[in-house]
Amino acid sequence: KAGVTQTPRYLIKTRGQQVTLSCSPISGHRSVSWYQQTPGQGLQFLFEYFSETQRNKGNFPGRFSGRQFSNSRSEMNVSTLELGDSALYLCASSLAPSGGAETGELFFGEGSRLTVL
Amino acid sequence: ELKVEQNPLFLSMQEGKNYTIYCNYSTTSDRLYWYRQDPGKSLESLFVLLSNGAVKQEGRLMASLDTKARLSTLHITAAVHDLSATYFCAVVGGTGSNYQLIWGAGTKLIIKP
């Protein structure tokens, strides 16, 4: 059974540019969550999608957006990149959304490491 | 606002020793997760604890949950070098349909041979 796949794994951008990251969840998983991980702030929740609907959103500016497609694949976009956006962006999939009746166990991808110069 | 605190944040220990990582959270929650992260790698699920008194064990790791004390522990028995990693706990928090996982800062564990 294939795991969570994130692309690209590494990318370098300059300030002001935008970036799109992709996540393919485990087959059968309908919930996809995105996290930003930095040494200073740790793991921070970005947003969660379930059945193409954004269920929750973390405390990030509007430059951070996402979407989910009918096949449960998800993308996140960051516009007008800032130096502070440099981070490891992790995608996680689960059978059910957080807080649901299922255990909500998350399965993470390898992440996309973004460097903003 | 739900907060999750782990301690210690850094732990260096010798192989063969026992130690415990603590995870405290500030409001009620019905589930708690432990994850492991190796340097430069993603997060690997270790345990899902769903009820008060839940105890789970896998190899040299054992996790427990006390929902009344809002405390979970991750106990390492007879540590080996391969257990060197950063360990995170996370708790589900929120109301209505607005749930999310709130993460501890992580405990970096270094086990010296």
Side-chain angles (χ1 to χ4, degrees), chain B residues 46-107:
Chain B
L46 294 174
F47 301 108
V48 180
L49 302 170
L50 299 176
S51 61
N52 187 43
V55 177
K56 291 196 173 180
Q57 184 165 4
E58 180 72 34
R60 300 174 188 275
L61 300 177
M62 183 173 71
S64 66
L65 178 62
D66 181 344
T67 57
K68 294 179 181 177
R70 298 176 187 167
L71 170 69
S72 179
T73 61
L74 180 65
H75 187 73
I76 303 150
T77 302
V80 294
H81 179 66
D82 286 351
L83 291 179
S84 296
T86 299
Y87 293 85
F88 293 91
C89 64
V91 177
V92 173
T95 57
S97 62
N98 188 25
Y99 285 91
Q100 59 177 272
L101 278 185
I102 308 297
W103 295 79
T107 297

Short mmCIF file of all heavy atoms in Angstrom, two decimals, chain B residues 46-107:
data_model
loop_
_atom_site.label_atom_id
_atom_site.label_comp_id
_atom_site.label_asym_id
_atom_site.label_seq_id
_atom_site.Cartn_x
_atom_site.Cartn_y
_atom_site.Cartn_z
N LEU B 46 3.57 6.36 16.44
CA LEU B 46 3.96 5.35 17.42
C LEU B 46 2.73 4.77 18.15
O LEU B 46 2.52 3.57 18.16
CB LEU B 46 4.92 5.93 18.45
CG LEU B 46 6.29 6.37 17.96
CD1 LEU B 46 7.06 7.07 19.07
CD2 LEU B 46 7.08 5.19 17.43
N PHE B 47 1.97 5.66 18.77
CA PHE B 47 0.84 5.22 19.57
C PHE B 47 -0.34 6.18 19.42
O PHE B 47 -0.15 7.38 19.26
CB PHE B 47 1.21 5.16 21.07
CG PHE B 47 2.36 4.25 21.40
CD1 PHE B 47 3.59 4.77 21.75
CD2 PHE B 47 2.21 2.88 21.35
CE1 PHE B 47 4.65 3.95 22.06
CE2 PHE B 47 3.26 2.03 21.66
CZ PHE B 47 4.49 2.58 22.01
N VAL B 48 -1.54 5.59 19.51
CA VAL B 48 -2.76 6.37 19.60
C VAL B 48 -3.44 5.95 20.91
O VAL B 48 -3.73 4.76 21.10
CB VAL B 48 -3.72 6.10 18.42
CG1 VAL B 48 -4.98 6.94 18.56
CG2 VAL B 48 -3.02 6.40 17.10
N LEU B 49 -3.65 6.88 21.80
CA LEU B 49 -4.24 6.59 23.11
C LEU B 49 -5.62 7.23 23.16
O LEU B 49 -5.76 8.44 22.98
CB LEU B 49 -3.35 7.14 24.23
CG LEU B 49 -1.92 6.60 24.23
CD1 LEU B 49 -1.06 7.38 25.21
CD2 LEU B 49 -1.91 5.12 24.56
N LEU B 50 -6.63 6.40 23.39
CA LEU B 50 -7.99 6.88 23.22
C LEU B 50 -8.80 6.97 24.50
O LEU B 50 -9.93 7.48 24.48
CB LEU B 50 -8.74 5.97 22.23
CG LEU B 50 -8.15 5.92 20.83
CD1 LEU B 50 -8.91 4.92 19.97
CD2 LEU B 50 -8.20 7.30 20.18
N SER B 51 -8.30 6.48 25.60
CA SER B 51 -9.14 6.50 26.80
C SER B 51 -8.28 6.61 28.04
O SER B 51 -7.09 6.29 28.03
CB SER B 51 -10.00 5.24 26.87
OG SER B 51 -9.17 4.09 26.93
N ASN B 52 -8.91 7.01 29.12
CA ASN B 52 -8.19 7.14 30.38
C ASN B 52 -7.66 5.78 30.81
O ASN B 52 -8.37 4.78 30.76
CB ASN B 52 -9.12 7.69 31.46
CG ASN B 52 -8.37 8.00 32.73
OD1 ASN B 52 -7.28 8.55 32.70
ND2 ASN B 52 -8.95 7.64 33.86
N GLY B 53 -6.40 5.75 31.22
CA GLY B 53 -5.80 4.50 31.64
C GLY B 53 -5.23 3.67 30.51
O GLY B 53 -4.67 2.60 30.76
N ALA B 54 -5.36 4.17 29.28
CA ALA B 54 -4.85 3.41 28.14
C ALA B 54 -3.33 3.26 28.25
O ALA B 54 -2.63 4.19 28.62
CB ALA B 54 -5.20 4.11 26.84
N VAL B 55 -2.87 2.06 27.98
CA VAL B 55 -1.44 1.77 27.98
C VAL B 55 -1.14 0.96 26.72
O VAL B 55 -1.83 -0.01 26.44
CB VAL B 55 -1.01 0.97 29.22
CG1 VAL B 55 0.48 0.63 29.13
CG2 VAL B 55 -1.29 1.75 30.49
N LYS B 56 -0.13 1.40 25.99
CA LYS B 56 0.29 0.66 24.80
C LYS B 56 1.79 0.49 24.83
O LYS B 56 2.52 1.37 25.27
CB LYS B 56 -0.17 1.39 23.54
CG LYS B 56 -1.67 1.37 23.34
CD LYS B 56 -2.04 1.74 21.94
CE LYS B 56 -3.53 1.55 21.72
NZ LYS B 56 -3.94 1.89 20.35
N GLN B 57 2.22 -0.66 24.32
CA GLN B 57 3.65 -0.96 24.32
C GLN B 57 4.07 -1.49 22.98
O GLN B 57 3.35 -2.26 22.33
CB GLN B 57 3.99 -1.98 25.41
CG GLN B 57 5.48 -2.27 25.53
CD GLN B 57 5.84 -2.98 26.82
OE1 GLN B 57 4.97 -3.33 27.61
NE2 GLN B 57 7.13 -3.18 27.04
N GLU B 58 5.25 -1.05 22.55
CA GLU B 58 5.84 -1.54 21.32
C GLU B 58 7.35 -1.60 21.54
O GLU B 58 8.01 -0.56 21.65
CB GLU B 58 5.52 -0.62 20.15
CG GLU B 58 6.08 -1.06 18.82
CD GLU B 58 5.37 -2.27 18.24
OE1 GLU B 58 4.15 -2.39 18.44
OE2 GLU B 58 6.04 -3.08 17.59
N GLY B 59 7.85 -2.80 21.67
CA GLY B 59 9.28 -2.96 21.91
C GLY B 59 9.70 -2.32 23.22
O GLY B 59 9.13 -2.60 24.28
N ARG B 60 10.64 -1.43 23.17
CA ARG B 60 11.15 -0.77 24.37
C ARG B 60 10.38 0.50 24.74
O ARG B 60 10.76 1.20 25.68
CB ARG B 60 12.63 -0.42 24.15
CG ARG B 60 13.50 -1.63 23.88
CD ARG B 60 14.93 -1.23 23.53
NE ARG B 60 15.70 -2.38 23.09
CZ ARG B 60 16.34 -3.20 23.92
NH1 ARG B 60 16.31 -2.96 25.22
NH2 ARG B 60 17.00 -4.22 23.44
N LEU B 61 9.35 0.81 24.01
CA LEU B 61 8.55 2.00 24.27
C LEU B 61 7.20 1.63 24.83
O LEU B 61 6.55 0.70 24.34
CB LEU B 61 8.35 2.81 22.98
CG LEU B 61 9.59 3.33 22.28
CD1 LEU B 61 9.21 4.06 20.99
CD2 LEU B 61 10.39 4.25 23.18
N MET B 62 6.78 2.37 25.85
CA MET B 62 5.46 2.18 26.42
C MET B 62 4.84 3.55 26.68
O MET B 62 5.48 4.41 27.30
CB MET B 62 5.52 1.39 27.73
CG MET B 62 4.14 1.11 28.32
SD MET B 62 4.21 0.02 29.76
CE MET B 62 4.94 1.11 30.97
N ALA B 63 3.60 3.73 26.23
CA ALA B 63 2.90 5.00 26.41
C ALA B 63 1.66 4.78 27.25
O ALA B 63 1.00 3.74 27.15
CB ALA B 63 2.53 5.59 25.06
N SER B 64 1.35 5.77 28.07
CA SER B 64 0.16 5.70 28.90
C SER B 64 -0.55 7.04 28.91
O SER B 64 0.04 8.07 28.58
CB SER B 64 0.53 5.29 30.33
OG SER B 64 1.31 6.31 30.93
N LEU B 65 -1.82 7.01 29.28
CA LEU B 65 -2.62 8.22 29.27
C LEU B 65 -3.45 8.31 30.54
O LEU B 65 -4.16 7.36 30.90
CB LEU B 65 -3.55 8.24 28.05
CG LEU B 65 -4.50 9.43 27.93
CD1 LEU B 65 -3.72 10.74 27.80
CD2 LEU B 65 -5.44 9.25 26.73
N ASP B 66 -3.38 9.45 31.21
CA ASP B 66 -4.22 9.76 32.38
C ASP B 66 -4.99 11.02 32.02
O ASP B 66 -4.46 12.13 32.12
CB ASP B 66 -3.33 9.97 33.60
CG ASP B 66 -4.14 10.27 34.86
OD1 ASP B 66 -5.33 10.60 34.75
OD2 ASP B 66 -3.57 10.17 35.96
N THR B 67 -6.23 10.86 31.60
CA THR B 67 -7.01 12.02 31.15
C THR B 67 -7.41 12.92 32.31
O THR B 67 -7.61 14.12 32.11
CB THR B 67 -8.28 11.57 30.40
OG1 THR B 67 -9.06 10.74 31.26
CG2 THR B 67 -7.92 10.82 29.13
N LYS B 68 -7.49 12.37 33.50
CA LYS B 68 -7.86 13.20 34.65
C LYS B 68 -6.72 14.15 35.00
O LYS B 68 -6.95 15.32 35.33
CB LYS B 68 -8.22 12.32 35.84
CG LYS B 68 -9.49 11.50 35.63
CD LYS B 68 -9.79 10.63 36.82
CE LYS B 68 -11.05 9.80 36.56
NZ LYS B 68 -11.35 8.87 37.69
N ALA B 69 -5.52 13.66 34.93
CA ALA B 69 -4.34 14.49 35.18
C ALA B 69 -3.90 15.24 33.93
O ALA B 69 -2.99 16.08 34.01
CB ALA B 69 -3.18 13.63 35.70
N ARG B 70 -4.52 14.92 32.78
CA ARG B 70 -4.14 15.53 31.49
C ARG B 70 -2.65 15.30 31.24
O ARG B 70 -1.89 16.25 30.94
CB ARG B 70 -4.49 17.00 31.45
CG ARG B 70 -5.99 17.23 31.59
CD ARG B 70 -6.33 18.70 31.66
NE ARG B 70 -7.75 18.89 31.95
CZ ARG B 70 -8.27 20.04 32.31
NH1 ARG B 70 -7.51 21.14 32.39
NH2 ARG B 70 -9.56 20.14 32.57
N LEU B 71 -2.27 14.05 31.37
CA LEU B 71 -0.85 13.70 31.29
C LEU B 71 -0.69 12.38 30.55
O LEU B 71 -1.41 11.42 30.78
CB LEU B 71 -0.27 13.55 32.70
CG LEU B 71 1.13 12.96 32.82
CD1 LEU B 71 2.16 13.95 32.26
CD2 LEU B 71 1.44 12.63 34.28
N SER B 72 0.28 12.39 29.65
CA SER B 72 0.69 11.15 29.01
C SER B 72 2.19 10.98 29.21
O SER B 72 2.92 11.97 29.29
CB SER B 72 0.37 11.16 27.52
OG SER B 72 0.79 9.96 26.90
N THR B 73 2.61 9.75 29.33
CA THR B 73 4.03 9.47 29.47
C THR B 73 4.48 8.50 28.39
O THR B 73 3.71 7.64 27.95
CB THR B 73 4.36 8.86 30.84
OG1 THR B 73 3.65 7.63 30.99
CG2 THR B 73 3.99 9.80 31.97
N LEU B 74 5.71 8.68 27.95
CA LEU B 74 6.34 7.76 27.02
C LEU B 74 7.58 7.23 27.73
O LEU B 74 8.52 7.99 27.98
CB LEU B 74 6.72 8.46 25.72
CG LEU B 74 7.39 7.58 24.66
CD1 LEU B 74 6.44 6.51 24.16
CD2 LEU B 74 7.88 8.43 23.48
N HIS B 75 7.54 5.96 28.09
CA HIS B 75 8.63 5.37 28.86
C HIS B 75 9.53 4.54 27.95
O HIS B 75 9.04 3.75 27.14
CB HIS B 75 8.06 4.49 29.98
CG HIS B 75 9.11 3.98 30.91
ND1 HIS B 75 9.73 4.79 31.83
CD2 HIS B 75 9.66 2.75 31.04
CE1 HIS B 75 10.61 4.08 32.50
NE2 HIS B 75 10.59 2.84 32.05
N ILE B 76 10.81 4.76 28.13
CA ILE B 76 11.81 4.04 27.34
C ILE B 76 12.54 3.07 28.28
O ILE B 76 13.07 3.49 29.32
CB ILE B 76 12.81 5.01 26.72
CG1 ILE B 76 12.08 6.03 25.87
CG2 ILE B 76 13.86 4.26 25.88
CD1 ILE B 76 12.75 7.36 25.79
N THR B 77 12.53 1.83 27.93
CA THR B 77 13.17 0.80 28.76
C THR B 77 14.44 0.30 28.10
O THR B 77 14.43 -0.07 26.92
CB THR B 77 12.22 -0.38 28.97
OG1 THR B 77 11.01 0.09 29.59
CG2 THR B 77 12.85 -1.44 29.87
N ALA B 78 15.52 0.30 28.86
CA ALA B 78 16.81 -0.22 28.35
C ALA B 78 17.12 0.36 26.98
O ALA B 78 17.23 -0.37 25.99
CB ALA B 78 16.79 -1.74 28.33
N ALA B 79 17.28 1.65 26.94
CA ALA B 79 17.42 2.38 25.67
C ALA B 79 18.55 1.82 24.80
O ALA B 79 19.59 1.41 25.29
CB ALA B 79 17.68 3.85 25.96
N VAL B 80 18.31 1.85 23.50
CA VAL B 80 19.32 1.49 22.51
C VAL B 80 19.49 2.66 21.55
O VAL B 80 18.59 3.50 21.40
CB VAL B 80 18.94 0.21 21.73
CG1 VAL B 80 18.94 -1.00 22.65
CG2 VAL B 80 17.60 0.37 21.05
N HIS B 81 20.64 2.70 20.88
CA HIS B 81 20.99 3.84 20.03
C HIS B 81 19.92 4.11 18.96
O HIS B 81 19.66 5.26 18.62
CB HIS B 81 22.34 3.58 19.37
CG HIS B 81 22.77 4.68 18.46
ND1 HIS B 81 23.08 5.96 18.91
CD2 HIS B 81 22.93 4.73 17.13
CE1 HIS B 81 23.42 6.71 17.89
NE2 HIS B 81 23.34 6.00 16.80
N ASP B 82 19.30 3.07 18.45
CA ASP B 82 18.31 3.23 17.38
C ASP B 82 17.09 4.03 17.80
O ASP B 82 16.31 4.48 16.95
CB ASP B 82 17.83 1.85 16.87
CG ASP B 82 18.89 1.17 16.03
OD1 ASP B 82 19.90 1.83 15.70
OD2 ASP B 82 18.72 -0.01 15.71
N LEU B 83 16.90 4.22 19.08
CA LEU B 83 15.76 5.01 19.56
C LEU B 83 16.06 6.51 19.56
O LEU B 83 15.18 7.32 19.88
CB LEU B 83 15.35 4.57 20.96
CG LEU B 83 14.72 3.18 21.05
CD1 LEU B 83 14.38 2.85 22.49
CD2 LEU B 83 13.46 3.10 20.19
N SER B 84 17.27 6.89 19.20
CA SER B 84 17.60 8.31 19.09
C SER B 84 16.73 8.95 18.01
O SER B 84 16.71 8.50 16.86
CB SER B 84 19.08 8.49 18.72
OG SER B 84 19.92 7.99 19.73
N ALA B 85 15.99 9.98 18.41
CA ALA B 85 15.05 10.66 17.51
C ALA B 85 14.41 11.80 18.29
O ALA B 85 14.70 11.99 19.47
CB ALA B 85 13.96 9.68 17.03
N THR B 86 13.52 12.53 17.64
CA THR B 86 12.70 13.50 18.34
C THR B 86 11.30 12.93 18.47
O THR B 86 10.73 12.44 17.49
CB THR B 86 12.67 14.84 17.60
OG1 THR B 86 14.00 15.36 17.52
CG2 THR B 86 11.79 15.85 18.34
N TYR B 87 10.76 13.00 19.67
CA TYR B 87 9.45 12.43 19.95
C TYR B 87 8.45 13.55 20.22
O TYR B 87 8.72 14.46 21.00
CB TYR B 87 9.53 11.48 21.16
CG TYR B 87 10.34 10.26 20.87
CD1 TYR B 87 11.72 10.27 21.00
CD2 TYR B 87 9.74 9.09 20.41
CE1 TYR B 87 12.49 9.15 20.69
CE2 TYR B 87 10.49 7.95 20.10
CZ TYR B 87 11.86 8.00 20.24
OH TYR B 87 12.61 6.89 19.93
N PHE B 88 7.33 13.47 19.55
CA PHE B 88 6.28 14.47 19.69
C PHE B 88 5.01 13.83 20.25
O PHE B 88 4.66 12.70 19.87
CB PHE B 88 5.91 15.08 18.34
CG PHE B 88 6.98 15.90 17.70
CD1 PHE B 88 7.90 15.33 16.83
CD2 PHE B 88 7.07 17.26 17.96
CE1 PHE B 88 8.89 16.09 16.24
CE2 PHE B 88 8.05 18.03 17.36
CZ PHE B 88 8.96 17.44 16.50
N CYS B 89 4.33 14.56 21.11
CA CYS B 89 2.97 14.19 21.45
C CYS B 89 2.04 15.22 20.84
O CYS B 89 2.43 16.36 20.57
CB CYS B 89 2.76 14.10 22.95
SG CYS B 89 2.94 15.65 23.85
N ALA B 90 0.81 14.81 20.59
CA ALA B 90 -0.17 15.70 19.99
C ALA B 90 -1.54 15.35 20.56
O ALA B 90 -1.83 14.17 20.80
CB ALA B 90 -0.18 15.59 18.47
N VAL B 91 -2.35 16.36 20.72
CA VAL B 91 -3.66 16.19 21.33
C VAL B 91 -4.71 16.83 20.43
O VAL B 91 -4.47 17.91 19.88
CB VAL B 91 -3.70 16.85 22.72
CG1 VAL B 91 -5.07 16.74 23.34
CG2 VAL B 91 -2.65 16.23 23.63
N VAL B 92 -5.85 16.20 20.30
CA VAL B 92 -6.93 16.78 19.52
C VAL B 92 -7.65 17.82 20.36
O VAL B 92 -8.05 17.55 21.49
CB VAL B 92 -7.94 15.70 19.07
CG1 VAL B 92 -9.15 16.34 18.41
CG2 VAL B 92 -7.28 14.74 18.11
N GLY B 93 -7.79 19.02 19.81
CA GLY B 93 -8.50 20.07 20.52
C GLY B 93 -9.43 20.79 19.59
O GLY B 93 -9.23 20.81 18.37
N GLY B 94 -10.46 21.40 20.18
CA GLY B 94 -11.39 22.17 19.36
C GLY B 94 -12.81 21.94 19.78
O GLY B 94 -13.09 21.19 20.71
N THR B 95 -13.71 22.60 19.09
CA THR B 95 -15.14 22.46 19.38
C THR B 95 -15.92 22.36 18.08
O THR B 95 -15.42 22.79 17.03
CB THR B 95 -15.67 23.68 20.17
OG1 THR B 95 -15.38 24.86 19.42
CG2 THR B 95 -15.02 23.77 21.53
N GLY B 96 -17.10 21.80 18.19
CA GLY B 96 -17.94 21.66 17.00
C GLY B 96 -17.23 20.88 15.92
O GLY B 96 -16.79 19.76 16.16
N SER B 97 -17.09 21.46 14.75
CA SER B 97 -16.37 20.79 13.67
C SER B 97 -14.96 21.35 13.52
O SER B 97 -14.22 20.96 12.62
CB SER B 97 -17.13 20.97 12.35
OG SER B 97 -17.21 22.34 12.02
N ASN B 98 -14.58 22.26 14.40
CA ASN B 98 -13.29 22.91 14.26
C ASN B 98 -12.24 22.23 15.13
O ASN B 98 -11.82 22.77 16.15
CB ASN B 98 -13.40 24.39 14.64
CG ASN B 98 -12.13 25.14 14.32
OD1 ASN B 98 -11.37 24.74 13.45
ND2 ASN B 98 -11.89 26.23 15.01
N TYR B 99 -11.85 21.02 14.76
CA TYR B 99 -10.84 20.29 15.49
C TYR B 99 -9.52 20.36 14.75
O TYR B 99 -9.45 20.46 13.55
CB TYR B 99 -11.24 18.82 15.64
CG TYR B 99 -12.32 18.59 16.65
CD1 TYR B 99 -13.66 18.60 16.27
CD2 TYR B 99 -12.02 18.36 17.97
CE1 TYR B 99 -14.65 18.39 17.19
CE2 TYR B 99 -13.01 18.14 18.91
CZ TYR B 99 -14.33 18.15 18.50
OH TYR B 99 -15.32 17.94 19.42
N GLN B 100 -8.45 20.28 15.54
CA GLN B 100 -7.12 20.18 14.97
C GLN B 100 -6.20 19.53 15.99
O GLN B 100 -6.51 19.50 17.18
CB GLN B 100 -6.57 21.54 14.57
CG GLN B 100 -6.46 22.53 15.69
CD GLN B 100 -5.83 23.83 15.23
OE1 GLN B 100 -4.61 23.97 15.23
NE2 GLN B 100 -6.64 24.78 14.82
N LEU B 101 -5.10 19.03 15.49
CA LEU B 101 -4.09 18.48 16.38
C LEU B 101 -3.20 19.61 16.88
O LEU B 101 -2.70 20.41 16.10
CB LEU B 101 -3.23 17.43 15.66
CG LEU B 101 -3.79 16.02 15.54
CD1 LEU B 101 -2.76 15.11 14.90
CD2 LEU B 101 -4.19 15.47 16.89
N ILE B 102 -3.00 19.65 18.20
CA ILE B 102 -2.09 20.60 18.81
C ILE B 102 -0.86 19.80 19.25
O ILE B 102 -0.98 18.80 19.96
CB ILE B 102 -2.71 21.30 20.02
CG1 ILE B 102 -4.07 21.90 19.65
CG2 ILE B 102 -1.76 22.36 20.56
CD1 ILE B 102 -4.01 22.97 18.59
N TRP B 103 0.31 20.26 18.83
CA TRP B 103 1.54 19.50 19.02
C TRP B 103 2.39 20.05 20.14
O TRP B 103 2.47 21.27 20.36
CB TRP B 103 2.37 19.52 17.73
CG TRP B 103 1.68 18.82 16.61
CD1 TRP B 103 0.68 19.31 15.83
CD2 TRP B 103 1.92 17.49 16.16
NE1 TRP B 103 0.28 18.37 14.93
CE2 TRP B 103 1.03 17.24 15.09
CE3 TRP B 103 2.80 16.47 16.54
CZ2 TRP B 103 1.00 16.03 14.41
CZ3 TRP B 103 2.78 15.26 15.87
CH2 TRP B 103 1.89 15.04 14.82
N GLY B 104 3.05 19.15 20.85
CA GLY B 104 4.10 19.55 21.76
C GLY B 104 5.33 19.98 20.98
O GLY B 104 5.42 19.76 19.76
N ALA B 105 6.28 20.57 21.68
CA ALA B 105 7.49 21.10 21.02
C ALA B 105 8.46 20.00 20.62
O ALA B 105 9.39 20.24 19.85
CB ALA B 105 8.19 22.10 21.94
N GLY B 106 8.25 18.81 21.15
CA GLY B 106 9.13 17.70 20.81
C GLY B 106 10.22 17.51 21.85
O GLY B 106 10.70 18.47 22.47
N THR B 107 10.62 16.27 22.04
CA THR B 107 11.72 15.92 22.93
C THR B 107 12.80 15.27 22.08
O THR B 107 12.58 14.21 21.49
CB THR B 107 11.27 14.93 24.02
OG1 THR B 107 10.30 15.56 24.85
CG2 THR B 107 12.47 14.48 24.86
#
